[in-house]
Amino acid sequence: MFERPIFERMCLIGIGLIGSSLSLAVQRHGLVGEVVGCARSEATRQTALDLGLCSAVHADPAQAVGGCDLVMICSPVGTYAEIAERIGPHLREGSILSDVGSVKQAVIRDVGPFVPDHVHFVPGHPIAGTEKSGPEAGFAELFEDRWAILTPPPGTDADAVQRLAALWQGVGSMVDTMDARHHDRVLAMTSHLPHLIAYTIVSTAADLENHEQQEVAKFSAGGFRDFTRIAASDPVMWRDIFLNNREAVLDVLQRFNEDITALQRAIRWGEGEVLEDEFRRTRALRQGVIEAHQAGSFDPREPEKASKAEPDPGKPGPRES
Amino acid sequence: MFERPIFERMCLIGIGLIGSSLSLAVQRHGLVGEVVGCARSEATRQTALDLGLCSAVHADPAQAVGGCDLVMICSPVGTYAEIAERIGPHLREGSILSDVGSVKQAVIRDVGPFVPDHVHFVPGHPIAGTEKSGPEAGFAELFEDRWAILTPPPGTDADAVQRLAALWQGVGSMVDTMDARHHDRVLAMTSHLPHLIAYTIVSTAADLENHEQQEVAKFSAGGFRDFTRIAASDPVMWRDIFLNNREAVLDVLQRFNEDITALQRAIRWGEGEVLEDEFRRTRALRQGVIEAHQAGSFDPREPEKASKAEPDPGKPGPRES
């Protein structure tokens, strides 16, 4: 165990849903001595101070990271390279540089080259979020009972990894460590493809004739509603995820296309057995999800558990806006 | 308004999630004098009696409908034709024959020919359900704040339609009336396509290499989890829905395929603007869903509202098993 506070001063680069939630959580649990931040927009900087998310906020990341023993990048993945180049020279010796991005190989590719030898680079990804965005959306409980995945490159200092893991455990998360490539393949299936499909089906509905489109919203409780929630996620954040996990996403998408084409054919030709068999086998994986304690309760008479299942996609904080 | 009880004796043909919930709801609100039922399996018949869902249950639908002024078919759509042929001659003069099926043109096609002139045929579809199945899964609140759609064929007696509408309003539902073909098109988009896609993506994940498949369940909170819940719906019920709404489902599925192919191409060629624009426009429809009071709250700090959003796809009761 590490004594608290685990870190003297943490810098949040990007103060959105994840950044603000992390600040509230580490303050509640006394995990960090001081939280400073960096946001592009004046409005976000002011909100961060008004809500007590940070003791100080800067527009320039290079200034923000000064004297920090933990720097956490919480902005869209597409902004990482520019931020890394800017902060690299200013990172404190022995400090830890981490992030909350939904893709990890691209993060190592974009950030790695700018990390000084005397800094520990430990990429991370908390699988938690809601469909809401911005610093006002944060809440201290966001990471409780959620997984936080760390993907330290080979040779990363073990103590640094354990120290960062202790921070995530301190806010209530379960921590797992894996290879970045493996992370990207698993998340392409569990998060990226589901989001791409959700965005697509909502888009398909949006193109319906107007009178039908209104009824799609009216009668969305039939299953469509769940997709609209996921499709409300931050557009810039998701654009960057797809651009930066192309190979893995295209692979699972191709598999998905082959599978849905087979079902399409079965419907066209009235092959009931094919449909029924296909629908039956999916139940096993649902059982696996329940056993992995990821399903939550969907019994309306258990609102508490039901709500636990709510926070959706593994979303790092939304863009600094 | 109609005096209560609105119906003297209601017969449930099929006692699954919807049938059992409807029985509990009408009894709680005093809408029906007596509820009798029909189920194929001895186990279901016994459960219906043990839980007080019915005062009497039969294996033969022809016997069950005797003396009933409301007959509600709550079994998978594929069983309707056989049931209609069996009960037609035994339906009480002036009684109402309705159902809870997720498709309506096929129901009119399969049941209509067997309905005597002296019986009012008013097909219906409550857009309510959970991923659970069977008579033990029912609860009286299932239909509260949900839509119930009625699709009476041209020339249907107006008083019969109003009487049935009063029953659904009595259990807390909002009632809308529309043409069966229009219903099938709207539901193909809001319920049938979402289910087909959910079944497919879970199936795609189930085919992953084993070590990856286990992690898909473990890290399903990233968005995948929502799909597994929908994909846990009753296989036979859904087989029958797709076989009986083929034209509308294939149409929206083709539109979906074209849209996801466009996004696939944008990812392959790194067209960020295309992705961002597409992700932005979906937010408008999400807003429409929220305004239609179908979204519910996904803020974990509001478990009550969050739970309200839970009951999923428009599932009529599961098969009599």
Side-chain angles (χ1 to χ4, degrees):
Chain A
M1 277 309 295
F2 297 89
E3 277 186 19
R4 299 189 176 190
I6 299 174
F7 294 96
E8 297 166 19
R9 185 196 279 177
M10 170 174 75
C11 178
L12 298 171
I13 297 180
I15 310 171
L17 170 68
I18 297 291
S20 58
S21 296
L22 186 57
S23 175
L24 294 171
V26 297
Q27 290 186 62
R28 171 183 291 187
H29 299 288
L31 302 169
V32 173
E34 180 187 7
V35 180
V36 297
C38 170
R40 243 180 234 159
S41 84
E42 169 60 32
T44 300
R45 291 196 295 272
Q46 191 56 54
T47 303
L49 293 174
D50 296 344
L51 299 180
L53 300 174
C54 304
S55 59
V57 280
H58 304 265
D60 178 358
Q63 288 184 324
V65 302
C68 295
D69 51 352
L70 173 61
V71 173
M72 192 74 76
I73 306 178
C74 304
S75 55
V77 175
T79 64
Y80 281 27
E82 179 190 348
I83 290 172
E85 180 169 22
R86 190 88 186 80
I87 65 176
H90 305 274
L91 294 171
R92 174 174 151 182
E93 180 160 1
S95 66
I96 294 175
L97 173 62
S98 187
D99 76 305
V100 297
S102 291
V103 297
K104 300 263 71 72
Q105 290 178 104
V107 166
I108 292 173
R109 175 199 70 202
D110 295 348
V111 176
F114 301 105
V115 183
D117 296 341
H118 59 72
V119 171
H120 306 295
F121 179 38
V122 187
H125 176 207
I127 301 179
T130 74
E131 80 281 15
K132 301 203 176 69
S133 304
E136 306 85 352
F139 54 100
E141 302 81 7
L142 180 60
F143 309 106
E144 293 176 6
D145 302 316
R146 298 282 158 203
W147 283 99
I149 300 176
L150 301 181
T151 63
T156 305
D157 177 68
D159 179 74
V161 175
Q162 284 178 15
R163 187 171 290 273
L164 184 61
L167 183 85
W168 285 112
Q169 284 158 349
V171 298
S173 297
M174 304 165 282
V175 178
D176 200 352
T177 303
M178 66 178 71
D179 168 70
R181 183 165 187 281
H182 184 61
H183 165 280
D184 289 356
R185 282 190 56 78
V186 172
L187 270 291
M189 185 72 235
T190 61
S191 178
H192 307 167
L193 179 60
H195 275 74
L196 187 69
I197 287 169
Y199 275 121
T200 304
I201 191 170
V202 172
S203 172
T204 302
D207 290 334
L208 288 177
E209 296 65 24
N210 201 29
H211 66 291
E212 284 181 346
Q213 188 187 133
Q214 288 166 0
E215 298 201 311
V216 165
K218 185 175 176 184
F219 302 115
S220 62
F224 184 73
R225 183 193 54 222
D226 295 344
F227 291 79
T228 65
R229 176 167 58 90
I230 295 180
S233 304
D234 187 77
V236 171
M237 185 189 83
W238 281 98
R239 175 201 66 193
D240 289 355
I241 289 170
F242 292 117
L243 292 178
N244 288 284
N245 196 22
R246 186 183 316 197
E247 186 189 328
V249 169
L250 289 177
D251 174 54
V252 291
L253 178 54
Q254 184 55 40
R255 293 170 182 236
F256 171 83
N257 284 333
E258 292 162 10
D259 295 338
I260 201 163
T261 299
L263 288 180
Q264 180 173 15
R265 188 179 185 289
I267 292 172
R268 189 178 300 285
W269 295 100
E271 298 170 348
E273 310 72 20
V274 174
L275 295 173
E276 187 180 343
D277 293 347
E278 204 50 29
F279 298 164
R280 282 196 190 288
R281 63 192 286 268
T282 59
R283 286 189 153 180
L285 190 52
R286 164 66 178 175
Q287 197 51 43
V289 170
I290 292 171
E291 283 157 10
H293 307 298
Q294 287 292 335
S297 165
F298 295 91
D299 181 339
R301 287 161 297 189
E302 296 175 55
E304 176 41 45
K305 282 204 213 151
S307 70
K308 272 224 150 190
E310 274 320 320
D312 87 57
K315 293 169 56 181
R319 156 194 238 176
E320 300 164 85
S321 56
Chain B
M1 277 307 296
F2 297 88
E3 276 187 21
R4 298 188 175 191
I6 299 173
F7 294 95
E8 298 167 18
R9 186 196 279 177
M10 171 175 74
C11 178
L12 299 172
I13 298 180
I15 310 171
L17 171 67
I18 298 291
S20 57
S21 296
L22 186 56
S23 175
L24 294 171
V26 299
Q27 289 186 62
R28 170 182 291 186
H29 299 288
L31 303 168
V32 172
E34 181 186 8
V35 181
V36 298
C38 169
R40 244 183 232 158
S41 83
E42 169 59 32
T44 301
R45 290 195 296 273
Q46 190 56 53
T47 302
L49 293 175
D50 296 344
L51 300 179
L53 301 173
C54 305
S55 58
V57 281
H58 303 266
D60 178 0
Q63 289 184 325
V65 302
C68 295
D69 51 351
L70 174 60
V71 173
M72 192 73 78
I73 306 177
C74 305
S75 55
V77 174
T79 64
Y80 280 28
E82 179 189 348
I83 291 171
E85 180 169 22
R86 190 89 184 82
I87 64 176
H90 305 274
L91 293 171
R92 173 173 150 182
E93 179 161 2
S95 66
I96 295 175
L97 173 62
S98 188
D99 76 305
V100 298
S102 292
V103 297
K104 301 262 70 72
Q105 290 178 105
V107 166
I108 292 173
R109 175 199 69 202
D110 295 347
V111 176
F114 300 106
V115 183
D117 297 342
H118 60 71
V119 171
H120 307 296
F121 179 38
V122 187
H125 175 207
I127 301 179
T130 74
E131 79 281 16
K132 302 200 176 69
S133 305
E136 306 87 351
F139 54 100
E141 303 80 7
L142 180 61
F143 308 106
E144 293 176 6
D145 303 316
R146 298 283 159 201
W147 284 98
I149 300 176
L150 301 182
T151 63
T156 305
D157 178 68
D159 178 75
V161 175
Q162 283 178 15
R163 187 172 289 272
L164 185 60
L167 183 85
W168 284 112
Q169 285 158 350
V171 297
S173 295
M174 303 165 282
V175 178
D176 200 352
T177 303
M178 66 178 70
D179 167 71
R181 182 165 188 283
H182 184 61
H183 166 280
D184 288 356
R185 281 189 57 78
V186 171
L187 270 291
M189 186 71 235
T190 61
S191 179
H192 307 169
L193 179 60
H195 275 74
L196 188 69
I197 288 168
Y199 276 121
T200 303
I201 191 171
V202 173
S203 172
T204 301
D207 290 334
L208 288 176
E209 296 66 23
N210 200 30
H211 66 291
E212 285 180 345
Q213 188 188 132
Q214 289 166 0
E215 298 201 311
V216 165
K218 184 175 177 184
F219 302 116
S220 63
F224 184 73
R225 183 194 54 222
D226 295 343
F227 291 78
T228 64
R229 176 167 58 90
I230 296 180
S233 303
D234 186 77
V236 171
M237 186 189 82
W238 281 99
R239 175 201 67 194
D240 288 356
I241 289 170
F242 291 116
L243 292 179
N244 288 284
N245 196 23
R246 185 185 316 197
E247 186 191 327
V249 169
L250 289 177
D251 174 53
V252 291
L253 177 54
Q254 183 55 41
R255 294 169 180 237
F256 170 84
N257 284 334
E258 292 162 10
D259 295 339
I260 201 164
T261 298
L263 288 180
Q264 180 173 17
R265 187 178 185 290
I267 292 172
R268 190 178 300 283
W269 295 99
E271 299 169 350
E273 310 73 17
V274 174
L275 295 173
E276 188 180 343
D277 292 348
E278 203 51 27
F279 298 165
R280 282 194 191 288
R281 63 192 289 266
T282 59
R283 286 188 154 180
L285 191 53
R286 166 65 179 176
Q287 198 51 43
V289 170
I290 292 170
E291 283 156 11
H293 307 297
Q294 287 293 336
S297 165
F298 295 92
D299 180 340
R301 287 160 300 188
E302 294 175 56
E304 176 43 43
K305 283 203 215 150
S307 69
K308 274 224 150 189
E310 275 319 321
D312 86 64
K315 293 169 55 182
R319 157 194 239 174
E320 300 164 86
S321 54

